[in-house]
Amino acid sequence: MPLPPQPYLIETPRFSMRLPEEADLSALYAIHSNDEVNRFLPYVTWTSLDDAKAWVDRATTRLKAEQATQFVVFERASGRLIGSCVLFLFDFESGTAELGYALDQPFWGKGYMPEMLNALIGFAFGPLGLRRLEAEVDVRNLPSHHLLLKLGFEHEGVRRENRFMRGEIKTSNIYGLLRHEWQARIATEA
Protein backbone atom coordinates (compact mmCIF):
# COMPACT_ATOMS: atom_id res chain seq x y z
CA MET A 1 0.00 0.00 0.00
CA PRO A 2 1.57 3.34 -0.99
CA LEU A 3 1.39 6.56 0.99
CA PRO A 4 -2.01 8.29 0.78
CA PRO A 5 -2.29 11.54 -1.20
CA GLN A 6 -1.05 14.76 0.36
CA PRO A 7 -1.36 17.28 1.93
CA TYR A 8 -0.44 15.89 5.32
CA LEU A 9 -1.63 17.99 8.23
CA ILE A 10 -2.03 16.61 11.72
CA GLU A 11 -3.56 18.75 14.45
CA THR A 12 -3.99 18.34 18.18
CA PRO A 13 -5.37 20.80 20.73
CA ARG A 14 -1.90 22.34 21.22
CA PHE A 15 0.05 21.42 18.07
CA SER A 16 -0.04 21.43 14.32
CA MET A 17 2.22 19.15 12.23
CA ARG A 18 2.97 19.48 8.54
CA LEU A 19 5.66 18.63 6.02
CA PRO A 20 8.81 20.80 6.23
CA GLU A 21 9.27 23.79 3.95
CA GLU A 22 12.11 26.16 3.04
CA ALA A 23 10.55 28.77 5.36
CA ASP A 24 11.33 26.48 8.31
CA LEU A 25 15.12 26.47 7.81
CA SER A 26 16.03 29.08 10.44
CA ALA A 27 13.81 27.57 13.13
CA LEU A 28 15.07 24.06 12.37
CA TYR A 29 18.66 25.27 12.51
CA ALA A 30 18.03 26.91 15.89
CA ILE A 31 16.82 23.56 17.25
CA HIS A 32 19.42 21.25 15.72
CA SER A 33 22.44 23.47 16.33
CA ASN A 34 22.07 22.48 20.00
CA ASP A 35 24.29 19.53 20.98
CA GLU A 36 21.84 18.48 23.70
CA VAL A 37 18.94 18.15 21.24
CA ASN A 38 21.07 16.06 18.89
CA ARG A 39 22.79 13.97 21.55
CA PHE A 40 20.87 10.78 20.75
CA LEU A 41 19.87 11.54 17.14
CA PRO A 42 21.51 9.76 14.20
CA TYR A 43 23.16 12.89 12.81
CA VAL A 44 25.66 15.46 13.97
CA THR A 45 24.83 18.86 15.36
CA TRP A 46 24.13 21.34 12.59
CA THR A 47 26.67 24.09 12.00
CA SER A 48 24.95 26.16 9.31
CA LEU A 49 21.70 26.79 7.48
CA ASP A 50 23.07 24.49 4.76
CA ASP A 51 22.59 21.59 7.19
CA ALA A 52 18.95 22.60 7.64
CA LYS A 53 18.46 22.86 3.88
CA ALA A 54 20.02 19.43 3.34
CA TRP A 55 17.65 17.99 5.99
CA VAL A 56 14.57 19.51 4.32
CA ASP A 57 15.76 18.36 0.88
CA ARG A 58 16.34 14.85 2.22
CA ALA A 59 12.87 14.81 3.82
CA THR A 60 11.32 15.82 0.48
CA THR A 61 13.29 13.19 -1.43
CA ARG A 62 12.41 10.45 1.07
CA LEU A 63 8.71 11.37 0.90
CA LYS A 64 8.69 11.21 -2.91
CA ALA A 65 10.37 7.80 -2.73
CA GLU A 66 7.81 6.70 -0.10
CA GLN A 67 10.60 6.00 2.38
CA ALA A 68 9.58 8.46 5.11
CA THR A 69 7.14 11.15 6.16
CA GLN A 70 8.91 13.90 8.09
CA PHE A 71 6.80 16.44 9.97
CA VAL A 72 7.68 19.72 11.62
CA VAL A 73 5.69 20.55 14.74
CA PHE A 74 4.31 23.97 15.64
CA GLU A 75 2.90 25.15 18.92
CA ARG A 76 -0.49 26.47 17.84
CA ALA A 77 -0.74 29.25 20.45
CA SER A 78 2.57 30.87 19.49
CA GLY A 79 3.06 29.56 15.94
CA ARG A 80 6.61 28.58 16.94
CA LEU A 81 8.30 25.56 15.35
CA ILE A 82 9.28 23.41 18.34
CA GLY A 83 10.32 20.05 16.93
CA SER A 84 9.87 17.30 14.41
CA CYS A 85 8.52 13.77 14.10
CA VAL A 86 9.16 11.16 11.42
CA LEU A 87 7.86 7.82 10.23
CA PHE A 88 10.51 6.00 8.20
CA LEU A 89 11.77 2.61 7.05
CA PHE A 90 8.32 1.85 5.64
CA ASP A 91 7.55 -1.77 4.82
CA PHE A 92 4.04 -1.48 3.42
CA GLU A 93 3.77 -5.19 2.69
CA SER A 94 4.35 -5.96 6.37
CA GLY A 95 2.59 -2.81 7.55
CA THR A 96 5.52 -1.49 9.58
CA ALA A 97 7.57 1.66 10.05
CA GLU A 98 9.96 3.19 12.53
CA LEU A 99 9.21 6.29 14.61
CA GLY A 100 11.60 9.15 15.39
CA TYR A 101 11.28 12.56 17.05
CA ALA A 102 13.10 15.63 18.32
CA LEU A 103 11.97 18.53 20.49
CA ASP A 104 13.56 21.94 21.08
CA GLN A 105 15.21 21.97 24.51
CA PRO A 106 13.10 24.79 26.08
CA PHE A 107 10.06 22.51 25.66
CA TRP A 108 11.48 19.42 27.35
CA GLY A 109 9.60 18.11 30.38
CA LYS A 110 6.33 19.91 29.59
CA GLY A 111 4.37 16.86 28.43
CA TYR A 112 4.37 17.95 24.79
CA MET A 113 5.84 14.84 23.19
CA PRO A 114 3.10 12.37 24.23
CA GLU A 115 0.43 14.56 22.59
CA MET A 116 2.52 15.01 19.46
CA LEU A 117 3.41 11.34 19.11
CA ASN A 118 -0.11 10.09 19.85
CA ALA A 119 -1.26 12.18 16.88
CA LEU A 120 1.50 10.79 14.67
CA ILE A 121 0.73 7.25 15.79
CA GLY A 122 -2.93 7.85 14.92
CA PHE A 123 -1.83 8.94 11.44
CA ALA A 124 0.35 5.83 11.09
CA PHE A 125 -2.34 3.40 12.20
CA GLY A 126 -5.17 5.32 10.50
CA PRO A 127 -4.56 6.88 7.05
CA LEU A 128 -1.28 5.02 6.50
CA GLY A 129 -2.84 1.69 7.47
CA LEU A 130 0.21 0.44 9.34
CA ARG A 131 -0.13 -2.34 11.92
CA ARG A 132 3.18 -2.01 13.80
CA LEU A 133 5.54 0.81 14.78
CA GLU A 134 9.06 0.40 16.05
CA ALA A 135 11.49 2.72 17.80
CA GLU A 136 15.22 2.38 18.42
CA VAL A 137 16.58 4.45 21.30
CA ASP A 138 20.05 4.84 22.81
CA VAL A 139 20.04 2.97 26.16
CA ARG A 140 21.17 6.17 27.92
CA ASN A 141 18.13 8.12 26.70
CA LEU A 142 15.91 7.51 29.71
CA PRO A 143 13.32 10.22 28.88
CA SER A 144 12.62 8.50 25.53
CA HIS A 145 12.45 5.12 27.28
CA HIS A 146 9.77 6.42 29.67
CA LEU A 147 7.94 8.25 26.86
CA LEU A 148 7.64 5.15 24.69
CA LEU A 149 6.40 3.02 27.59
CA LYS A 150 3.83 5.74 28.41
CA LEU A 151 2.63 5.61 24.79
CA GLY A 152 2.09 1.84 25.07
CA PHE A 153 5.24 0.60 23.34
CA GLU A 154 6.71 -2.63 24.63
CA HIS A 155 10.42 -2.89 25.30
CA GLU A 156 11.34 -5.81 23.04
CA GLY A 157 15.06 -6.07 23.56
CA VAL A 158 18.51 -4.60 23.31
CA ARG A 159 20.74 -4.35 20.24
CA ARG A 160 24.22 -4.37 21.73
CA GLU A 161 26.83 -2.09 20.18
CA ASN A 162 24.72 -1.70 17.04
CA ARG A 163 25.64 1.88 16.05
CA PHE A 164 28.80 3.89 15.61
CA MET A 165 28.00 7.61 15.90
CA ARG A 166 30.06 10.63 16.85
CA GLY A 167 33.13 8.55 17.55
CA GLU A 168 31.50 6.07 19.90
CA ILE A 169 29.80 2.70 19.76
CA LYS A 170 26.22 2.82 21.01
CA THR A 171 23.75 0.26 22.26
CA SER A 172 20.02 0.60 21.55
CA ASN A 173 16.79 -0.40 23.20
CA ILE A 174 14.17 -1.66 20.74
CA TYR A 175 10.46 -0.91 21.21
CA GLY A 176 7.35 -2.04 19.36
CA LEU A 177 3.69 -1.00 19.31
CA LEU A 178 0.88 -2.85 17.55
CA ARG A 179 -2.15 -1.07 16.14
CA HIS A 180 -4.65 -3.12 18.16
CA GLU A 181 -2.72 -2.40 21.39
CA TRP A 182 -2.73 1.33 20.71
CA GLN A 183 -6.43 1.29 19.78
CA ALA A 184 -7.28 -0.55 23.02
CA ARG A 185 -5.30 1.97 25.10
CA ILE A 186 -6.93 4.94 23.37
CA ALA A 187 -10.39 3.43 23.90
CA THR A 188 -9.79 3.01 27.64
CA GLU A 189 -8.51 6.59 27.97
CA ALA A 190 -11.53 8.10 26.17
Side-chain angles (χ1 to χ4, degrees):
M1 175 182 140
L3 290 172
Q6 297 179 40
Y8 299 142
L9 177 65
I10 302 171
E11 294 189 306
T12 74
R14 292 187 293 178
F15 308 107
S16 179
M17 294 182 254
R18 63 159 170 76
L19 301 176
E21 301 172 353
E22 294 281 328
D24 304 325
L25 294 180
S26 293
L28 287 166
Y29 173 71
I31 293 169
H32 290 286
S33 61
N34 180 336
D35 286 327
E36 285 301 307
V37 170
N38 291 323
R39 181 174 176 209
F40 299 117
L41 296 179
Y43 44 83
V44 297
T45 301
W46 298 356
T47 59
S48 72
L49 280 176
D50 289 340
D51 294 326
K53 177 147 181 28
W55 185 88
V56 170
D57 290 347
R58 184 170 165 246
T60 302
T61 299
R62 291 172 72 195
L63 178 65
K64 287 178 184 173
E66 298 192 340
Q67 297 171 340
T69 55
Q70 179 77 57
F71 292 89
V72 288
V73 181
F74 293 85
E75 184 181 47
R76 291 176 76 174
S78 68
R80 181 175 173 183
L81 195 157
I82 63 167
S84 62
C85 302
V86 62
L87 296 168
F88 63 106
L89 294 179
F90 288 117
D91 180 341
F92 289 110
E93 185 175 336
S94 296
T96 64
E98 192 167 331
L99 174 76
Y101 44 89
L103 185 64
D104 198 3
Q105 192 171 12
F107 298 94
W108 291 0
K110 298 181 186 280
Y112 285 11
M113 198 54 80
E115 183 178 331
M116 291 163 43
L117 290 184
N118 261 322
L120 185 64
I121 292 166
F123 176 74
F125 289 150
L128 293 188
L130 299 177
R131 62 166 195 82
R132 175 183 164 83
L133 290 176
E134 299 170 358
E136 181 179 312
V137 176
D138 188 300
V139 294
R140 298 168 297 175
N141 190 346
L142 296 180
S144 276
H145 169 78
H146 296 301
L147 169 66
L148 292 168
L149 294 178
K150 180 178 184 172
L151 291 168
F153 281 78
E154 294 286 330
H155 180 250
E156 297 181 339
V158 177
R159 294 185 68 202
R160 299 174 302 141
E161 298 185 6
N162 69 313
R163 295 246 185 245
F164 182 78
M165 291 187 333
R166 295 189 193 104
E168 65 180 344
I169 296 171
K170 299 188 177 200
T171 296
S172 301
N173 282 317
I174 305 301
Y175 302 85
L177 177 65
L178 303 177
R179 178 176 51 214
H180 66 85
E181 295 169 339
W182 182 78
Q183 290 170 331
R185 184 180 64 78
I186 293 299
T188 61
E189 292 176 359

